[in-house]
């Protein structure tokens, strides 16, 4: 903890990702997970969304170079889709530390959720890695004034003084928000309850109104929509926060919004107070992530979906980070002298989500 504390004080970065803290072992575990299930009859193709400083890419390529058959390493490609031009350059430098990696690695500086950047559909099997990406993707918030009222979109507008922000509530109209609400099945009570129960709830909500607020991972829905369209045979490995401690902002799946000055972090009570100098972390609801994944692959159909698109069921599993590392990693490499193992014992609020395609359409 003292070691970490010193690193943070020397840096303007609010936090380091596990793949940085536990290099190279964290990336090696991901590489092992890929090698155990990859189809080596076709060239190994890996995409990483938001590759940070390139630590994960280099660690995975190192591991495959040392542990896979030579033909697998020699024919592999690793593409980082990175929206930040400065990080894209850092990634190239990190991976180039091993000269043989250079021709196999490339960075595409663009937004992964923009369909136009992907070009033609890729029909070959491939892997997509997203480490701590979901927590930074855009979210929308919906509001309901009581337990029985319909969900409303929350809009933010500037007051005439141009400084103060306030919220407006409008009926659902944005397609991403509407689809997210349907995928979450937030309105399921309307279809499954008897008239008597509905009446009772209506009375109760008027006597004891309880406003509701819910944050929706619309950015995740948009990204997975694009990925399933352009990479229909992708296997996905995503890691993120399953919950965040001491969140002060209201609502289900509300974000932690904090700023860091002179090595000290301060949390905001209201997301509208944060004006450009804050870090925003959203917790990932892994149950919802799985539903979005199945929906975007065409397997999960919504009530009003009459499309003929026939999706294939995917095999999915959500693992605690410690379980993932025990299965695929080398935990002995991160164990301290007294038996404490930060790779397994810390980051209790993070999980891995693995999703692979099947041939099953029934």
């Amino acid at each position: 903890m003292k070691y970490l504390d010193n690193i943070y004080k020397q840096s303007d970065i609010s936090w380091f990702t596990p793949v940085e803290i536990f290099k190279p072992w964290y990336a090696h575990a991901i590489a092992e997970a890929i090698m155990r299930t990859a189809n080596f009859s076709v060239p190994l193709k890996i995409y990483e969304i938001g590759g940070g400083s390139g630590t994960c890419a280099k660690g995975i390529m190192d591991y495959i170079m040392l542990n896979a058959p030579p033909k697998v390493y020699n024919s592999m490609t690793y593409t980082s889709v990175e929206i930040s031009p400065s990080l894209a350059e850092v990634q190239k430098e990190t991976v180039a530390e091993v000269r043989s990696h250079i021709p196999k690695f490339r960075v595409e500086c663009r937004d992964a959720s923009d369909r136009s950047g992907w070009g033609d559909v890729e029909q070959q099997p491939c892997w997509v890695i997203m480490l701590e990406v979901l927590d930074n993707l855009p979210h929308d918030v919906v509001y309901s004034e009581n337990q029985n009222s319909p969900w409303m979109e929350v809009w933010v507008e500037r007051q005439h003084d141009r400084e103060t922000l306030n919220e407006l509530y409008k009926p659902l109209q944005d397609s991403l928000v509407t689809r997210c609400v349907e995928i979450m099945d937030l309105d399921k009570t309307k279809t499954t309850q008897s008239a008597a129960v509905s009446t009772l709830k209506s009375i109760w909500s008027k006597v004891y109104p309880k406003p509701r607020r819910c944050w929706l991972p619309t950015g995740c829905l948009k990204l997975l929509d694009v990925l399933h369209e352009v990479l229909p045979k992708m296997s996905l490995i995503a890691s993120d926060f399953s919950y965040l401690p001491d969140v002060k902002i209201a609502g289900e799946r509300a974000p932690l919004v904090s700023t860091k000055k002179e090595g000290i972090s301060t949390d905001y009570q209201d997301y509208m107070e944060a004006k450009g100098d804050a870090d925003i972390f959203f917790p990932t609801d892994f149950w919802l992530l799985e539903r979005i994944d199945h929906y975007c692959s065409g397997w999960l159909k919504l009530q009003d979906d009459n499309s003929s698109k026939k999706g294939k069921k995917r095999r999915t599993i959500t693992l605690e980070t410690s379980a993932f590392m025990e299965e695929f990693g080398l935990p002995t490499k991160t164990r301290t002298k007294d038996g404490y193992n930060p790779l397994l014992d810390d980051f209790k609020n993070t999980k891995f989500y693995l999703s692979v395609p099947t041939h099953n359409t029934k």
Side-chain angles (χ1 to χ4, degrees), residues 100-111:
S100 62
H101 291 347
I102 296 173
K104 301 167 180 59
F105 179 78
R106 78 170 186 268
V107 182
E108 296 180 0
C109 197
R110 58 185 175 86
D111 178 1

Side-chain angles (χ1 to χ4, degrees), residues 53-335:
S53 64
T55 299
C56 182
K58 181 179 179 295
I60 287 175
M61 295 181 80
D62 287 348
Y63 189 87
I64 291 171
M65 179 178 67
L66 295 170
N67 295 281
K71 70 165 191 173
V72 174
Y73 173 71
N74 292 333
S75 64
M76 78 173 289
T77 57
Y78 196 115
T79 304
S80 172
V81 182
E82 175 57 62
I83 201 166
S84 163
S86 57
L87 283 176
E89 290 305 313
V90 173
Q91 288 170 28
K92 289 178 190 173
E93 291 171 13
T94 301
V95 173
E97 290 171 15
V98 178
R99 188 169 292 178
S100 62
H101 291 347
I102 296 173
K104 301 167 180 59
F105 179 78
R106 78 170 186 268
V107 182
E108 296 180 0
C109 197
R110 58 185 175 86
D111 178 1
S113 66
D114 182 351
R115 171 65 183 89
S116 63
W118 286 93
D120 295 335
V121 172
E122 173 62 66
Q123 294 293 351
Q124 289 296 323
C126 63
W127 285 84
V128 175
I129 300 168
M130 298 193 295
L131 305 182
E132 288 76 44
V133 169
L134 299 173
D135 62 74
N136 284 138
L137 289 179
H139 284 59
D140 281 270
V141 63
V142 289
Y143 171 81
S144 171
E145 62 183 20
N146 63 49
Q147 303 91 311
N148 225 41
S149 296
W151 290 102
M152 309 277 281
E153 288 179 4
V154 178
W155 290 51
V156 176
E157 70 165 5
R158 285 192 187 278
Q159 296 289 58
H160 298 302
D161 60 9
R162 308 301 294 167
E163 285 295 318
T164 314
L165 300 172
N166 72 313
E167 291 185 343
L168 290 175
Y169 306 122
K170 300 184 180 183
L172 295 186
Q173 56 186 20
D174 181 274
S175 64
L176 279 173
V177 173
T178 305
R179 282 194 293 159
C180 239
V181 169
E182 289 175 352
I183 291 166
M184 289 175 62
D185 212 11
L186 285 180
D187 293 328
K188 59 188 171 189
T189 52
K190 291 182 180 176
T191 56
T192 58
Q193 289 175 354
S194 67
V197 172
S198 295
T199 304
L200 196 61
K201 281 204 164 188
S202 178
I203 295 169
W204 183 264
S205 65
K206 286 171 183 170
V207 177
Y208 298 105
K210 186 180 178 184
R212 297 180 296 164
R213 184 177 283 262
C214 188
W215 295 81
L216 307 176
T218 43
C220 172
L221 173 58
K222 184 181 178 186
L223 177 59
L224 286 181
D225 235 355
V226 169
L227 291 177
H228 276 292
E229 181 185 342
V230 296
L231 307 171
K233 294 182 181 176
M234 73 163 177
S235 296
L236 174 67
I237 297 181
S239 172
D240 232 301
F241 299 104
S242 52
Y243 72 91
L244 295 168
D246 306 320
V247 172
K248 296 178 179 179
I249 291 168
E252 194 178 333
R253 287 182 300 278
L256 185 67
V257 183
S258 65
T259 189
K260 183 181 178 185
K261 287 177 183 170
E262 297 175 3
I264 299 170
S265 291
T266 307
D267 294 343
Y268 287 99
Q269 302 271 1
D270 186 342
Y271 71 93
M272 288 188 287
E273 293 174 9
K275 301 205 175 140
D277 62 347
D279 280 309
I280 303 174
F281 303 102
F282 284 90
T284 296
D285 181 337
F286 281 84
W287 170 84
L288 179 54
L289 173 61
E290 184 182 46
R291 282 183 69 86
I292 292 173
D293 186 24
H294 283 313
Y295 166 77
C296 293
S297 72
W299 177 253
L300 175 69
K301 297 283 187 182
L302 301 182
Q303 281 184 345
D304 300 328
D305 187 355
N306 299 316
S307 68
S308 59
K309 180 183 174 185
K310 196 171 186 182
K312 292 182 178 179
K313 187 170 175 61
R314 296 177 67 80
R315 280 189 297 149
T316 62
I317 186 170
T318 299
L319 295 170
E320 302 285 344
T321 294
S322 57
F324 180 90
M325 291 300 162
E326 284 178 331
E327 177 65 32
F328 300 110
L330 291 168
T332 53
K333 298 291 187 180
T334 54
R335 191 160 57 215

